[in-house]
C-alpha cells in the first residue's frame, strides 16, 4: 500500500510540475513590446446583437454606434438573426425588422459589409450537423438571408468537436450553394497552443477543450474569414490570459491560409463565470497580446484584424481600451 501511495504522489507531483512549467511558459509569452506596425489596418469586425433585427434598436442606437464603427476601423459586422431551430430551420418571426435594419445600416454605413450571424448549440439533443437533412435546412436559411440583402453569412455553432466532419460538410455545401462572391465566415473556438495537445486532451476529457491547428486549417479553407473566440479561456490572471492569446494568435496565423482573413476575438462584456475572470480577460490585455503575437510573425499579415464581442455589452471604457490598444495604441484601460 505504501508503495502504491508513493507512486500516486510521484505521478501527481509530475503533473503539477508540468502544469506549473506550462503556466510559466504561457505567462512568458506576454512579455516585451509589440512592433509599431502591429496595429489595425481597418479590417476589423464587430459582433452585433439580436436587438437590431427584432425592433428594440433603431435610428438612435445606430447614431450612437456609428462613430465607434468608423473610429474602430470596423469593415464587417455580424448581426445575430437566429437562433436556428434544432432541425436547422430559421423562423422569420425571429427577425421581423431585418429589412428595415439593412436599409438603415446601408444608408448610414454603406462601406461596411453586413453578414447574418447564424448559429445554435450543437450538443446532443440539439442541432446535429452530422445530419444531412439538418445541414440542408441550415443552408436554405443562409441562402434566404443572402436573398434578403445580407452580404454574407457568419456561422457560429458551439461546441463543435475537434475534427468534426459535419461542420466541414456544411461549409463545403454552403459555399457551393451561395457561390464564391458571397462572404462566408465562421466563429471558431480556441486552438491547441502546442501541436498534439488537442488529441492528447481529447483522450482524457469528455469534451474537446481545443481544436487542432490542422482542423482549423481545413475549416478555414472553406471560408473568407475566420474569427477565433479568444476569450472565456479560464485563465486566472491577466498575464496568463495575455500569454494564451499571444500563442493563439501565433498558432492561428500558421494554420489559417494567408488569403483567408484571420480575426482574433477581443472580449468587451462583463460576464464573470467559471470560464472567465473579467479582471484577467480585459480588452486591453487582449489587444496587447494580439499585437505581440502578430509581431512575432516578423511582418504585417494583410488579411488580419480583430473581432470585438460585442456591440451591446461593450462599456465606454472597453471601447476606449480597444481604440487605444489596437487602432491607435496608447495604453487604454477597461472600465
Amino acid at each position: 500500500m505504501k508503495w502504491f501511495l508513493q507512486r500516486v504522489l510521484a505521478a501527481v507531483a509530475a503533473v503539477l510540475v508540468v502544469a506549473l512549467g506550462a503556466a510559466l511558459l504561457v505567462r512568458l509569452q506576454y512579455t516585451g513590446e509589440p512592433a509599431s506596425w502591429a496595429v489595425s489596418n481597418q479590417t476589423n469586425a464587430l459582433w452585433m446583437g439580436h436587438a437590431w433585427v427584432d425592433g428594440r434598436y433603431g435610428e438612435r442606437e445606430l447614431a450612437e454606434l456609428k462613430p465607434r464603427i468608423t473610429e474602430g476601423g470596423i469593415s464587417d459586422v455580424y448581426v445575430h438573426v437566429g437562433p436556428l431551430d434544432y432541425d436547422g430551420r430559421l423562423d422569420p418571426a425571429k427577425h421581423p425588422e431585418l429589412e428595415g435594419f439593412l436599409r438603415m445600416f446601408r444608408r448610414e454605413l454603406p462601406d461596411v459589409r453586413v453578414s447574418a450571424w447564424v448559429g445554435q448549440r450543437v450538443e446532443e439533443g440539439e442541432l446535429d450537423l452530422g445530419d444531412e437533412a439538418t445541414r440542408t435546412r441550415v443552408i436554405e436559411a443562409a441562402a434566404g438571408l443572402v436573398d434578403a440583402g445580407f452580404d454574407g453569412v457568419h456561422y457560429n455553432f458551439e461546441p463543435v468537436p475537434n475534427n468534426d466532419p459535419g461542420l466541414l460538410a456544411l461549409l463545403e455545401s454552403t459555399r457551393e450553394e451561395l457561390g464564391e462572391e458571397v462572404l462566408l465566415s465562421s466563429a471558431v473556438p480556441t486552438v491547441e497552443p502546442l501541436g498534439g495537445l488537442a488529441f492528447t486532451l481529447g483522450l482524457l476529457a469528455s469534451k474537446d477543450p481545443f481544436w487542432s491547428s490542422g482542423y482549423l486549417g481545413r475549416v478555414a479553407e472553406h471560408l473568407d474569414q475566420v474569427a477565433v473566440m479568444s476569450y472565456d479561456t479560464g485563465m486566472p490572471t491577466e498575464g496568463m490570459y495575455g500569454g494564451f492569446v499571444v500563442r493563439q494568435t501565433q498558432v492561428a496565423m500558421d494554420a489559417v491560409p494567408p488569403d483567408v482573413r484571420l480575426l482574433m476575438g477581443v472580449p468587451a462584456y462583463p460576464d464573470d463565470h467559471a470560464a472567465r475572470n473579467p479582471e484577467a480577460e480585459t480588452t486591453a490585455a487582449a489587444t496587447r497580446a494580439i499585437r505581440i503575437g502578430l509581431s512575432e510573425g516578423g511582418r504585417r499579415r494583410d488579411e488580419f484584424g480583430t473581432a470585438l464581442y460585442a456591440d451591446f455589452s461593450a462599456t465606454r471604457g472597453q471601447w476606449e481600451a480597444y481604440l487605444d490598444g489596437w487602432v491607435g495604441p496608447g495604453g487604454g484601460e477597461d472600465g
Side-chain angles (χ1 to χ4, degrees):
M1 186 69 173
K2 182 179 179 181
W3 172 85
F4 175 75
L5 288 174
Q6 288 175 335
R7 286 295 183 90
V8 169
L9 290 173
V12 170
V15 170
L16 288 174
V17 168
V18 171
L20 288 172
L24 179 60
L25 288 174
V26 167
R27 176 63 183 86
L28 289 175
Q29 295 281 320
Y30 192 56
T31 56
E33 292 300 319
S36 59
W37 50 261
V39 294
S40 171
N41 65 354
Q42 315 302 303
T43 57
N44 305 304
L46 174 68
W47 278 287
M48 294 175 60
H50 197 83
W52 295 102
V53 295
D54 68 8
R56 285 175 289 165
Y57 284 3
E59 300 277 358
R60 181 170 59 86
E61 289 79 12
L62 186 58
E64 295 175 358
L65 183 62
K66 180 179 176 179
R68 290 179 169 179
I69 289 177
T70 302
E71 294 169 10
I74 307 295
S75 61
D76 291 271
V77 295
Y78 309 135
V79 182
H80 192 262
V81 297
L84 295 165
D85 294 334
Y86 294 139
D87 64 359
R89 292 185 173 88
L90 179 60
D91 185 353
K94 293 180 179 178
H95 47 254
E97 301 301 322
L98 185 152
E99 292 184 5
F101 163 74
L102 287 174
R103 286 195 302 270
M104 174 183 67
F105 193 91
R106 296 204 186 285
R107 183 180 67 246
E108 296 297 324
L109 292 156
D111 296 327
V112 178
R113 292 182 295 189
V114 190
S115 290
W117 170 7
V118 177
Q120 180 53 273
R121 299 289 294 178
V122 295
E123 294 178 301
E124 184 178 353
E126 299 185 351
L127 191 86
D128 181 9
L129 295 180
D131 178 63
E132 184 177 359
T134 298
R135 294 198 303 269
T136 297
R137 288 188 284 267
V138 173
I139 294 167
E140 288 173 351
L145 291 163
V146 172
D147 290 342
F150 281 100
D151 296 305
V153 174
H154 177 76
Y155 283 140
N156 180 203
F157 300 104
E158 300 179 51
V160 174
N162 184 41
N163 292 321
D164 180 67
L167 178 61
L168 291 174
L170 174 67
L171 296 178
E172 183 176 2
S173 297
T174 301
R175 177 62 78 193
E176 291 175 356
E177 175 66 26
L178 300 184
E180 295 293 332
E181 294 184 359
V182 173
L183 186 70
L184 184 58
S185 62
S186 181
V188 300
T190 51
V191 192
E192 56 184 0
L194 298 173
L197 187 60
F199 174 77
T200 302
L201 293 178
L203 297 176
L204 304 174
S206 59
K207 297 180 180 179
D208 293 328
F210 303 113
W211 275 6
S212 68
S213 56
Y215 183 58
L216 172 60
R218 293 196 296 277
V219 166
E221 288 175 355
H222 299 286
L223 298 167
D224 299 301
Q225 298 178 348
V226 170
V228 179
M229 296 181 288
S230 42
Y231 40 75
D232 288 352
T233 63
M235 296 292 123
T237 68
E238 183 176 303
M240 290 191 66
Y241 172 65
F244 183 81
V245 174
V246 171
R247 186 59 186 154
Q248 284 293 298
T249 304
Q250 295 169 338
V251 172
M253 285 197 298
D254 287 340
V256 174
D259 61 339
V260 176
R261 181 172 300 173
L262 171 61
L263 300 158
M264 299 303 299
V266 175
Y269 55 95
D271 299 22
D272 184 353
H273 48 71
R276 181 173 191 258
N277 175 5
E279 295 181 359
E281 290 194 3
T282 66
T283 309
T287 54
R288 181 171 182 268
I290 291 167
R291 292 188 65 216
I292 292 173
L294 181 60
S295 300
E296 292 294 323
R299 62 182 179 84
R300 187 68 169 84
R301 176 177 168 136
D302 292 335
E303 294 295 334
F304 186 91
T306 59
L308 188 73
Y309 186 88
D311 81 290
F312 55 86
S313 57
T315 65
R316 176 177 294 182
Q318 288 169 332
W319 270 107
E320 291 174 353
Y322 177 74
L323 294 173
D324 288 345
W326 176 242
V327 181
E333 298 295 333
D334 282 6

